[in-house]
Amino acid sequence: MKELRNIGIIAHIDAGKTTTTERILFYTGLTHKLGETHDGQSVMDYLEAERERGITITSAATKCIWKGHAINIIDTPGHVDFTAEVERSLRVLDGAVVIFCAKGGVEPQSETVWRQADKYRVPRIAYVNKMDAIGADFYRVVDQIKTRLGANPLVVTIPVFVGDDFTGIIDLIRMKYITFEGDFGTEIREAEIPAEYKEEADTWRLSMIEAVAETDEELLEMYFGGEEIPEDMIIEVIRKNTINGNMIPVLCGSSYRNIGVQVLLDAVINYLPSPLDIKPAIGTLVDSNEEIEIIADPSEPFTALIFKIITDRHVGKLAFARIYSGTVNAGSYVYNSSKGKKERIGRLVKMHANHREEIEKASAGDIVAFIGLKDVSTGDTLCTEERPVWLEAIDFPEPVIQIAIEPKTQADQAKLGEALNKIAAEDPTFKISYDKETGQTLIAGMGELHLEIITDRLAKEFKVDFNVGQPQVAYRETIGATAQHETKYVKQTGGKGQYGHVVLQVEPYEGYAFESKIVGGVIPKEYIPAVEAGVKQAMEEGVLKGYPVVNVKVTLLDGSYHEVDSSEMAFKTAGMMAMKECLKKAQPKLLEPIMKLEVTTPDEFTGNIISNINNRRGRLENMEMENNTQIIRAYVPLAEMFGYSTVLRSLTQGRAGFSMEFSHYEERRLEN
């Protein structure tokens, strides 16, 4: 396990994640030709939609060997609509390589993936790619990592240019100039540092040694004593600081030009943790709710977390799992503590993108796929019946956009339902609902591209014929004041009647909470969950426009019951009716999703873009100039952003680009 690395490759869209992964597979001998994303030939982008668009949509896993170390790699999407793929990958990884474009620097989605990595405390190294691009500036990106991401970058390699050409890198630890020659950069040559770069290299090495020495007493003494510090000692201290999250080693290169990828692989082994180096995962014992540490040891009881489900037409469900402790064999039984069920693992496979390699057993630290599990979903914990535990599940963002979808024929009706359920099992940010009033099926996702790709899959992969409606915004409702209501639900219908009596109070709250203040048994304990079920049902459709209600605390204050006529059904109905009335009294408000927008444009179009943002009810956050390009940041309601790419193109002669991501919900004023 000491020689194992579980890493993710994360970045803003188009920073070069998949290209870098393709180079890693080539240099580690896993593939024998280089696949390029723009030719639709990359190994990791294996879905038809990925190859057509030249982007990554789903995270792909693979395993390779470098200098005696096994590296499990997950290549993740960069587009904000597929942020859940990054979220679930980071949840199970020990380290990450964050790729930045040397020209674009820290872009909006770079900030998002960085925050996701912070959330799971994932140690990471930064790789500044595309150093051969016009306008590339390594030192500006290092500065942005410090200022925009609040990180502590440690430069360990610097770029070398001959004229305008990026030719190689200087390794500041070994103080060597490294070039990559031969057909695909496979011949690594080390030479003395060119004279014109000697002073720059010395300056950067000194600042690296000083930063590292500050964190280690022995190294500090050697530094002040003027002693030569051995390479392996520098690497050891950098590794310790990287794993603790105190430092981010920064390397540079150009994956497309085959420069610097092997040095990046060395850095993965040198600085990123093995499963033994990170803090043990925390589990909760099912029986006692007591927290325990899950030790990364093959001899411990088996524990694994399912982080991704794929439906394969040949083998059924493929469940990707990270094994945190113990060992599991193909054909053995495991216990799904999240569902309370025992299941048999049919086969165990190691994944290489969409190719599978059968294995007999897997143990702590491994990332594998299980075949044959019937009732399993993303976030489930698998363990032994002797030690049933829960691992913390994965949080996914709520969808913000929905469209109506209807099958063209009766035959398509059954196919559509089955296909949508399969996609929903794979993708936790994709939701299906049914509109009772119109009888339509609604599908909701993270953005226009997300839903476009899902409808693409329905047509091509599942062969369904359907019509889709216009995109709609997923609004929410909430309340602005505290309110109370008393409801007595009494029904006499010859024989046994119905009786439920509740007094509810609602108040604004961050999230949802239900509290019972019933004392002395005025409502029997067994009826209280029924009241909450009624409350939840009422919250599914708000009183303003019928959207789900959020951010409410509900308190059951009082009530009464009838010895004969009271039932769970009566209290559920009373709870629902009282909740509806409370919502009407509590100043209901409509909430709409607000997007964080970033537009990069030549300076001459700035005025047009800003006035267009204002027309869309947008609010300008800030503007800054970089490399003769204006960067405009704003918050704009999602409802105003449909078709924005076409408008932006016509405003700027096709010379501006934009990216946006969900930020928060905000009150929308209703027009009279």
Side-chain angles (χ1 to χ4, degrees):
M1 247 196 296
K2 206 171 156 209
E3 269 76 53
L4 178 64
R5 301 286 179 273
N6 289 317
I7 66 161
I9 299 205
I10 60 176
H12 183 87
I13 193 165
D14 242 8
K17 293 177 300 302
T18 302
T19 304
T20 304
T21 312
E22 293 297 323
R23 296 302 185 270
I24 289 173
L25 302 186
F26 179 74
Y27 295 133
T28 55
L30 206 60
T31 55
H32 300 292
K33 77 177 187 33
L34 284 176
E36 299 297 358
T37 320
H38 52 80
D39 299 334
Q41 294 297 316
S42 68
V43 177
M44 302 303 271
D45 287 350
Y46 58 87
L47 293 178
E48 194 178 327
E50 293 181 311
R51 295 194 158 171
E52 279 175 11
R53 289 173 171 80
I55 60 167
T56 305
I57 291 165
T58 173
S59 47
T62 190
K63 181 181 181 179
C64 57
I65 307 290
W66 180 253
K67 296 189 177 173
H69 289 68
I71 307 175
N72 284 317
I73 302 173
I74 296 185
D75 173 29
T76 66
H79 198 285
V80 64
D81 284 14
F82 310 107
T83 188
E85 290 289 334
V86 183
E87 187 84 23
R88 57 168 153 205
S89 304
L90 285 171
R91 169 69 178 81
V92 297
L93 292 168
D94 303 328
V97 176
V98 189
I99 300 183
F100 297 95
C101 168
K103 186 179 169 187
V106 175
E107 296 170 280
Q109 192 61 13
S110 324
E111 293 185 41
T112 307
V113 296
W114 195 270
R115 284 198 304 274
Q116 287 172 308
D118 279 343
K119 176 174 159 188
Y120 295 115
R121 296 191 187 85
V122 177
R124 63 214 91 142
I125 54 183
Y127 173 63
V128 180
N129 188 25
K130 303 196 176 183
M131 284 305 307
D132 58 315
I134 295 166
D137 186 339
F138 175 66
Y139 303 108
R140 180 175 61 88
V141 181
V142 173
D143 193 50
Q144 287 181 347
I145 293 173
K146 188 183 281 178
T147 53
R148 283 203 200 163
L149 302 176
N152 180 15
L154 182 80
V155 175
V156 291
T157 70
I158 60 171
V160 172
F161 293 89
V162 172
D164 287 337
D165 287 344
F166 175 51
T167 56
I169 58 177
I170 293 171
D171 180 342
L172 297 175
I173 293 171
R174 294 164 49 226
M175 287 305 269
K176 291 277 187 231
Y177 169 43
I178 304 172
T179 54
F180 303 82
E181 291 163 20
D183 287 347
F184 300 108
T186 45
E187 293 169 28
I188 303 169
R189 302 259 164 91
E190 291 186 2
E192 290 307 308
I193 295 169
E196 64 271 29
Y197 274 90
K198 191 81 182 82
E199 193 181 327
E200 190 179 333
D202 285 340
T203 308
W204 279 101
R205 177 177 165 90
L206 187 65
S207 71
M208 175 189 77
I209 296 289
E210 282 174 354
V212 173
E214 278 174 15
T215 66
D216 186 273
E217 280 182 27
E218 191 184 343
L219 219 149
L220 195 62
E221 279 177 27
M222 291 174 77
Y223 171 66
F224 280 130
E227 294 176 50
E228 187 60 43
I229 302 170
E231 283 168 25
D232 53 358
M233 191 173 175
I234 300 172
I235 290 170
E236 191 53 45
V237 178
I238 296 176
R239 176 185 180 81
K240 196 168 72 187
N241 279 297
T242 306
I243 293 170
N244 293 342
N246 298 338
M247 280 178 188
I248 310 288
V250 185
L251 299 94
C252 59
S254 166
S255 301
Y256 184 57
R257 297 265 171 254
N258 310 312
I259 298 174
V261 177
Q262 295 96 320
V263 177
L264 174 64
L265 274 167
D266 289 342
V268 165
I269 287 165
N270 288 340
Y271 308 132
L272 289 180
S274 75
L276 298 173
D277 295 319
I278 53 167
K279 287 182 179 160
I282 301 294
T284 307
L285 288 171
V286 173
D287 308 329
S288 62
N289 274 348
E290 181 194 333
E291 286 197 346
I292 59 161
E293 287 190 344
I294 308 290
I295 309 295
D297 184 338
S299 59
E300 284 274 307
F302 170 71
T303 314
L305 180 75
I306 302 291
F307 67 95
K308 184 177 164 84
I309 304 281
I310 288 183
T311 309
D312 185 290
R313 73 180 92 149
H314 304 299
V315 297
K317 264 187 189 176
L318 266 172
F320 283 71
R322 161 72 194 261
I323 302 175
Y324 283 96
S325 67
T327 303
V328 66
N329 296 308
S332 61
Y333 282 90
V334 291
Y335 181 66
N336 181 339
S337 59
S338 309
K339 299 267 196 309
K341 289 183 176 175
K342 196 172 169 185
E343 291 232 33
R344 182 174 178 274
I345 293 171
R347 287 147 63 200
L348 267 178
V349 291
K350 280 261 185 232
M351 294 302 291
H352 172 45
N354 59 338
H355 300 295
R356 297 184 286 270
E357 175 200 336
E358 293 236 5
I359 52 173
E360 282 307 307
K361 67 172 189 175
S363 52
D366 282 337
I367 291 176
V368 292
F370 298 135
I371 297 174
L373 298 177
K374 301 271 186 303
D375 184 13
V376 65
S377 39
T378 301
D380 284 1
T381 303
L382 302 181
C383 52
T384 59
E385 274 191 289
E386 294 72 50
R387 188 183 79 174
V389 293
W390 287 309
L391 290 165
E392 187 191 346
I394 311 167
D395 283 337
F396 292 108
E398 282 296 309
V400 292
I401 178 173
Q402 62 184 24
I403 53 173
I405 183 167
E406 47 191 39
K408 282 188 177 171
T409 67
Q410 198 62 44
D412 287 318
Q413 179 84 47
K415 275 186 354 193
L416 179 68
E418 194 182 316
L420 289 176
N421 287 329
K422 279 184 178 173
I423 294 172
E426 290 179 20
D427 184 349
T429 56
F430 172 67
K431 298 273 190 286
I432 314 159
S433 58
Y434 187 70
D435 188 324
K436 292 184 194 126
E437 286 177 23
T438 61
Q440 287 176 311
T441 301
L442 299 172
I443 57 173
M446 298 305 293
E448 288 180 272
L449 180 65
H450 188 196
L451 291 181
E452 188 188 310
I453 279 160
I454 281 166
T455 51
D456 239 24
R457 282 187 67 190
L458 287 172
K460 289 178 181 166
E461 199 178 312
F462 296 101
K463 309 281 188 286
V464 182
D465 259 353
F466 55 87
N467 295 318
V468 292
Q470 285 301 310
Q472 302 162 325
V473 177
Y475 290 101
R476 295 281 182 270
E477 292 185 23
T478 190
I479 55 171
T482 301
Q484 281 188 22
H485 191 80
E486 179 176 1
T487 294
K488 246 186 191 165
Y489 175 64
V490 184
K491 215 171 178 189
Q492 284 307 133
T493 49
K496 190 172 184 289
Q498 295 282 355
Y499 183 94
H501 172 211
V502 296
V503 181
L504 287 186
Q505 174 181 300
V506 296
E507 58 193 291
Y509 182 77
E510 193 60 47
Y512 162 78
F514 180 86
E515 187 185 346
S516 166
K517 288 195 173 169
I518 296 298
V519 286
V522 290
I523 297 177
K525 263 199 195 117
E526 61 268 27
Y527 293 144
I528 291 171
V531 177
E532 186 179 5
V535 163
K536 282 185 170 169
Q537 195 171 329
M539 286 173 67
E540 284 172 15
E541 289 181 11
V543 292
L544 281 177
K545 299 271 184 178
Y547 292 109
V549 179
V550 293
N551 295 347
V552 177
K553 180 178 181 184
V554 185
T555 310
L556 176 57
L557 298 173
D558 200 2
S560 64
Y561 75 107
H562 188 281
E563 289 282 343
V564 178
D565 290 352
S566 282
S567 66
E568 285 190 6
M569 195 63 223
F571 272 101
K572 183 180 175 182
T573 309
M576 188 166 77
M577 289 162 69
M579 187 63 187
K580 284 277 186 216
E581 292 307 316
C582 278
L583 290 174
K584 283 178 191 167
K585 292 178 181 177
Q587 295 172 18
K589 299 173 176 179
L590 192 65
L591 297 175
E592 66 176 340
I594 303 294
M595 308 303 280
K596 185 177 173 187
L597 173 74
E598 182 165 304
V599 182
T600 47
T601 173
D603 198 28
E604 66 256 40
F605 305 114
T606 306
N608 292 353
I609 290 170
I610 289 172
S611 74
N612 184 265
I613 287 172
N614 290 335
N615 292 343
R616 292 170 184 269
R617 298 191 288 123
R619 175 174 89 247
L620 209 60
E621 188 194 6
N622 66 19
M623 288 165 56
E624 63 182 272
M625 197 73 174
E626 268 180 23
N627 288 356
N628 303 325
T629 301
Q630 188 70 255
I631 297 176
I632 303 166
R633 295 188 182 89
Y635 289 101
V636 192
L638 174 63
E640 307 290 342
M641 291 306 288
F642 293 125
Y644 184 62
S645 53
T646 316
V647 173
L648 188 65
R649 263 188 228 123
S650 63
L651 281 175
T652 61
Q653 299 160 12
R655 290 168 63 195
F658 81 100
S659 66
M660 67 175 183
E661 60 179 351
F662 171 69
S663 171
H664 61 283
Y665 272 96
E666 205 170 272
E667 184 183 349
R668 167 150 196 191
R669 308 264 173 227
L670 287 172
E671 292 83 10
N672 293 327

